[in-house]
Amino acid sequence: MPIIREIVTHEPATRLATVSAVTRPVPCMVRVTFSGSELVGFPSGGPTDHVKLYFADPSVEGPTNRTVTRDYTAREFRNVDDGTGFGSTPELDIDFVIHEEDSSSGPASAWASAAAPGDQLRISGPGKSKLAPTGVSRVILIADESALPAVTRWLRLLAPEIQVTALLEVADAGVTPYFDAESLAARASVTWLYRTDRATREAPGQVEAALRALGPIGGDVYVFAAGEAGLLIPLRRYLRRELGLPADQVAVNGYWKRGDELFDHHAPLDATDPD
Ligand SMILES: Cc1cc2nc3c(=O)[nH]c(=O)nc-3n(C[C@H](O)[C@H](O)[C@H](O)COP(=O)(O)OP(=O)(O)OC[C@H]3O[C@@H](n4cnc5c(N)ncnc54)[C@H](O)[C@@H]3O)c2cc1C
């Protein structure tokens, strides 16, 4: 059976949303809950649904209307009973990684570090939902912190009979409580890899080694990998060139690039080998 990810397009929409809560699921992540009437009807159908968030352009000194955008996964959208028995309030959670080197680096990370109830942000999209694949018996998820919200969506949206294997590379064990350990273990076979280990063991390819250790990847397995673009290139080469997996079986998405604030995730990940 072919592997298909159906695409559902949505009406273009830019919404003004108000922060209603701010929490820290783990020290390196800020979860901002947005609400407001403009979120009514927010579409939420695919595991990688994402939005553009608008921030004041940091290159302009002082207050400005000039904006820059950054992409973020719509971790969870829900309609919460408003207690009147008649209506509900829309809520959208977005999880922001606070960059480990410098919490003020980057307008999105800096905004999230200081976010408080009552703050407002413009949110556009998602323009489309690429639905979970059909025709698969197993999905392999590879992610760093920036893609843990997407992993959350994958785990929620994949049919229960689909086997899930996750290779998650994060700074250290302090990130693992991002998921409830019991429900994660019940749904997926997970390997946590720590960058601290990579530094001490001089093993820059620990994710690639873990992926290779999974053995052959059959025609009914889908692979999603997202995170720092440079670290994903060898994974893509292994999957697409060494194993020869077709493009519709593999999604390798650079979510950010070290040292590059203008990173375009639509550009080919590997300039020497575009699709
Ligand atoms: C489809 C998609 C979905 C995404 N979903 C999420 C999400 O749900 N949560 C999330 O946190 N990110 C997510 N990202 C990644 C996010 O868009 C980038 O990390 C973005 O660059 C952050 O913007 P910024 O303004 O904080 O930093 P920028 O101004 O873009 O960059 C400033 C500096 O910070 C570095 N940097 C950027 N991101 C990180 C990082 N994660 N860790 C360490 N250093 C970094 C850059 O290399 C640069 O040197 C997603 C990206 C895509 C394409």
Side-chain angles (χ1 to χ4, degrees):
M1 207 206 282
I3 295 180
I4 295 171
R5 284 187 71 185
E6 193 190 327
I7 293 178
V8 179
T9 50
H10 307 299
E11 283 295 316
T14 301
R15 308 158 196 267
L16 184 63
T18 303
V19 175
S20 53
V22 180
T23 55
R24 282 235 178 199
V26 288
C28 68
M29 307 270 266
V30 168
R31 177 164 301 153
V32 178
T33 302
F34 295 93
S35 48
S37 58
E38 293 188 22
L39 286 174
V40 170
F42 183 88
S44 181
T48 46
D49 282 8
H50 56 280
V51 290
K52 278 200 185 304
L53 305 180
Y54 294 71
F55 302 97
D57 185 341
S59 69
V60 180
E61 267 184 45
T64 176
N65 289 331
R66 267 182 46 185
T67 53
V68 294
T69 62
R70 297 289 185 268
D71 291 303
Y72 278 82
T73 303
R75 180 184 188 273
E76 184 179 333
F77 175 75
R78 55 191 173 264
N79 286 303
V80 182
D81 193 330
D82 67 5
T84 64
F86 298 106
S88 60
T89 306
E91 285 187 351
L92 173 66
D93 286 342
I94 294 187
D95 285 357
F96 297 77
V97 174
I98 305 304
H99 308 168
E100 48 198 52
E101 304 92 58
D102 172 4
S103 66
S104 68
S105 77
S109 175
W111 180 88
S113 305
D119 291 352
Q120 293 194 306
L121 209 58
R122 286 206 174 277
I123 300 178
S124 76
K128 63 179 182 196
S129 294
K130 203 169 177 191
L131 304 188
T134 54
V136 298
S137 67
R138 181 184 179 205
V139 170
I140 299 172
L141 303 172
I142 303 170
D144 71 6
E145 287 90 338
S146 68
L148 296 184
V151 169
T152 305
R153 291 187 65 88
W154 277 100
L155 295 174
R156 196 183 312 130
L157 290 168
L158 283 171
E161 63 275 14
I162 295 174
Q163 207 192 321
V164 182
T165 305
L167 306 177
L168 307 177
E169 192 192 54
V170 297
D172 52 43
V175 185
T176 61
Y178 180 82
F179 296 102
D180 171 67
E182 246 175 64
S183 26
L184 182 63
R187 183 63 192 92
S189 158
V190 181
T191 303
W192 288 98
L193 301 158
Y194 302 126
R195 280 193 291 280
T196 40
D197 287 352
R198 193 166 80 198
T200 48
R201 291 189 202 153
E202 294 177 358
Q206 64 178 351
V207 182
E208 184 185 341
L211 176 60
R212 286 176 180 274
L214 296 179
I217 294 178
D220 60 349
V221 180
Y222 189 82
V223 186
F224 167 80
E228 201 281 323
L231 290 175
L232 293 175
I233 291 175
L235 307 188
R236 183 180 176 279
R237 285 187 186 147
Y238 171 65
L239 294 163
R240 296 295 313 284
R241 302 298 157 228
E242 212 175 310
L243 296 183
L245 302 181
D248 57 11
Q249 207 181 330
V250 176
V252 184
N253 303 142
Y255 271 15
W256 62 284
K257 191 169 178 190
R258 192 164 297 285
D260 185 355
E261 63 201 48
L262 298 175
F263 175 66
D264 173 10
H265 79 108
H266 295 293
L269 180 76
D270 185 352
T272 64
D273 180 21
D275 256 324

